[in-house]
Amino acid sequence: MSEARFCLLIIGGYGTFGGRLAQLLGDEPRLRLLVAGRSLEKADDFVADLRSPKDGAEGLGSNNLGALVQAVRFDREGDLTEQLTRMRPHLVVDASGPFQSFGKHAHKVAEACIDLGIDYADIADSTGFVAGIGGLDVAARAKGTFALSGLSSLPALSFAALEAMAPHFSRVDSVAAGIAPSAHVRIGLNVVRAIASYAGKKIVVRRDGRPAAGRGMIDAMRVTVAAPGAAPLRSRKFLLLDAPDLKLLPARFADLKSSFTGVGTEPQPLQRLLSLAARLVHFRLLPSLLPFSRLLQRASHAFAMGDHRGGMFVQVSGLDHTGERLTSGWHLIAEGDDGPFIPVIGVDALVRRLLTGIRPESGARPAAGELRLEDFEAAFRRFSITTGIRMENEAARQPLYRQILGSAWERLPPAISALHAGGARVASGRARIERGGGLLARIVAGVIGFPRAGEDVPVTVRFLSDGDKEIWTRDFGGKVFRSIQLEGKGRDRHLLAEVFGPFRVLMALVSDGEKLRLVVRGWRFCGIPLPMFLAPGGDTYEEERDGRFHFHVEIGGRLTGLVVRYAGWLVVE
């Protein structure tokens, strides 16, 4: 039975990423998975854990395995030909690392695989390692095998996103990409060692159309990762990361003027300390941060504070096909523990394609462009992962909600998209209104002008576009109050800002099935940020029912209790 299965050898199979790859592929009955590493004891323990029940779960990590999983010992410093010949894998995946430290014979595993006619792939993130795999291309073609390097977030996923956006451009001027891991994910020591190896040292980037010296973990750019239809991550700085994209991008875009790849970790103060340490290396006060790798890893674990969410972005700027300036951004947000699976999803997609008879072209090359974005998105459906694309054309600005929602706009029910279509319009309907009874709630409601409580109250809402703003004038049975809505700026980018007098409430537009939820993410008084735990909130959403737009708005707070709640329906006239 086992001989009929496709045999996959995972080097580093019980490590941070190799272990997750084994979990992803564990449900595949056509596979024989060899979980390999230098310690057979650790490999055995991992396989036993993989087979054991996980609180009755039937998903990832459960004992509901279809694959035949075996623990084996593999030493990359040993006799590679003997080990590979004995194990007879169809595909070898190197998920170990750090690839930056493999030295003069960095590609010896790939070379041994090619000599034996075995296919090879890795999740390398080292620029030199990934770019250097091309030196084996002639040998791989002669043997009829493939060797793909960098089948990870950077460059395989980043290039897949890039190729999905590229057709909108006549010329690409700049590309930036970044990874924002959750603060609560326990980063593996090899990942920390990789970062420490180039912190404070020269990294070649593109500036003004020419190669330039960037400073690892020092140079920075601020980005808000905001997947369309999901609450954005907190705005953060991304520090320059050594990634294969920096080497591969100029060959893909001849007119490229600037490039950047970065990592944005939480908490940000800890990242700033890392950047300061990198400056000691830059000024030659320290030779390297490598000796401090374990200390850095412990610090990242000890100060795991912030939202348990991670993300990624790829941003492209240039000219569209009419010659106008265009910026496009692909964003990803992963909830909870799902983020660390992303670096191995490319390998998962490759293996499943091989099982259906879809095989890459023979040869050795970087994995950039090897998979399409659709291949990754099919795998994302197994997780709490949201992705999407935002387009910003300076000459043709879109209606406010469409601008903020990006590609999530296309998923809105027709009644919701019709109400937010932009321009001057009027909608009317009926509503039920409740008011809070507390003194402070009554004061707040009176200052803003919220309507009094009532049943079946006639409602009219007039919308007026004014540049990048929308003015909403609501009339509840003769009681009128007004607010201004616009997109947040700077750190509040991709959030909807609603202004009531001196107050500004910042909300994320979140797709939730057939509902569009408005989730409060912050607030300001005369531009001054106020504590989030005192922010006005409540269950606020829009939905389509029986072909008609329905709204449910709830405003209250810890100090005020309920201020107002109104729900009803509207029809655009």
Side-chain angles (χ1 to χ4, degrees), residues 188-512:
L189 184 58
N190 281 342
V191 175
V192 178
R193 283 175 174 157
I195 293 173
S197 69
Y198 55 74
K201 298 185 178 179
K202 175 183 173 182
I203 294 177
V204 178
V205 298
R206 202 83 173 169
R207 290 183 189 145
D208 300 321
R210 296 187 298 272
R215 301 171 299 170
M217 303 306 291
I218 298 175
D219 296 348
M221 70 179 292
R222 179 172 289 279
V223 176
T224 300
V225 179
L233 298 185
R234 296 182 188 277
S235 176
R236 66 191 67 192
K237 281 190 175 181
F238 286 75
L239 301 181
L240 181 62
L241 184 73
D242 176 42
D245 304 53
L246 298 173
K247 179 78 172 179
L248 303 174
L249 282 168
R252 173 64 181 85
F253 299 107
D255 298 319
L256 189 71
K257 292 180 173 57
S258 70
S259 61
F260 179 91
T261 54
V263 60
T265 59
E266 288 284 344
Q268 286 272 284
L270 188 63
Q271 181 175 270
R272 285 195 286 271
L273 288 176
L274 174 60
S275 185
L276 287 173
R279 291 175 188 274
L280 297 179
V281 176
H282 176 69
F283 291 116
R284 299 183 181 179
L285 299 176
L286 281 176
S288 170
L289 293 186
L290 265 174
F292 305 98
S293 297
R294 198 170 292 278
L295 177 63
L296 293 171
Q297 183 196 31
R298 288 173 180 168
S300 72
H301 294 173
F303 296 96
M305 297 178 291
D307 295 337
H308 195 7
R309 314 170 73 219
M312 180 176 170
F313 77 91
V314 179
Q315 183 174 293
V316 189
S317 295
L319 299 181
D320 66 12
H321 294 283
T322 66
E324 299 291 343
R325 296 299 308 174
L326 176 65
T327 298
S328 180
W330 173 84
H331 295 250
L332 173 152
I333 288 181
E335 307 292 343
D337 293 320
D338 288 352
F341 283 95
I342 294 171
V344 295
I345 281 178
V347 178
D348 174 80
L350 171 68
V351 172
R352 294 184 191 276
R353 285 165 63 95
L354 287 170
L355 292 174
T356 61
I358 302 175
R359 180 182 170 79
E361 180 184 339
S362 296
R365 57 193 177 276
E370 196 66 36
L371 296 173
R372 298 171 304 167
L373 188 57
E374 292 83 355
D375 297 320
F376 287 94
E377 288 176 337
F380 291 158
R381 297 189 189 105
R382 302 174 68 184
F383 301 93
S384 295
I385 294 177
T386 305
T387 68
I389 293 174
R390 299 175 180 278
M391 308 287 288
E392 299 178 19
N393 191 316
E394 295 178 3
R397 187 168 181 85
Q398 297 173 326
L400 177 62
Y401 277 61
R402 185 165 192 163
Q403 180 73 23
I404 296 174
L405 281 165
S407 57
W409 171 268
E410 308 300 332
R411 302 195 296 268
L412 290 181
I416 298 180
S417 58
L419 189 94
H420 296 297
R425 57 206 186 279
V426 178
S428 58
R430 314 292 290 190
R432 179 179 182 270
I433 306 164
E434 299 174 63
R435 285 276 294 266
L439 176 61
L440 191 53
R442 294 199 305 270
I443 292 173
V444 171
V447 169
I448 295 177
F450 289 135
R452 296 184 182 278
E455 300 285 341
D456 198 31
V457 178
V459 182
T460 301
V461 184
R462 299 181 183 277
F463 305 87
L464 179 64
S465 295
D466 181 12
D468 60 353
K469 301 190 291 289
E470 283 192 357
I471 301 170
W472 289 37
T473 303
R474 304 165 179 88
D475 184 335
F476 287 84
K479 179 64 175 177
V480 177
F481 74 98
R482 190 180 76 159
S483 69
I484 297 173
Q485 294 189 357
L486 68 160
E487 184 176 3
K489 306 296 182 185
R491 297 188 182 202
D492 301 330
R493 196 159 177 246
H494 306 310
L495 294 174
L496 176 70
E498 185 156 22
V499 181
F500 301 91
F503 291 96
R504 175 177 293 219
V505 181
L506 300 159
M507 296 170 286
L509 301 181
V510 179
S511 297
D512 181 12

Side-chain angles (χ1 to χ4, degrees), residues 93-147:
V93 173
D94 194 345
S96 56
F99 293 89
Q100 287 84 350
S101 64
F102 280 171
K104 185 183 296 184
H105 302 292
H107 298 98
K108 61 183 179 182
V109 173
E111 291 172 0
C113 288
I114 292 170
D115 287 344
L116 295 172
I118 299 170
D119 293 322
Y120 166 91
D122 63 51
I123 58 168
D125 55 358
S126 165
T127 300
F129 187 95
V130 173
I133 197 73
L136 306 178
D137 185 56
V138 173
R141 289 180 183 275
K143 286 285 188 176
T145 64
F146 65 80

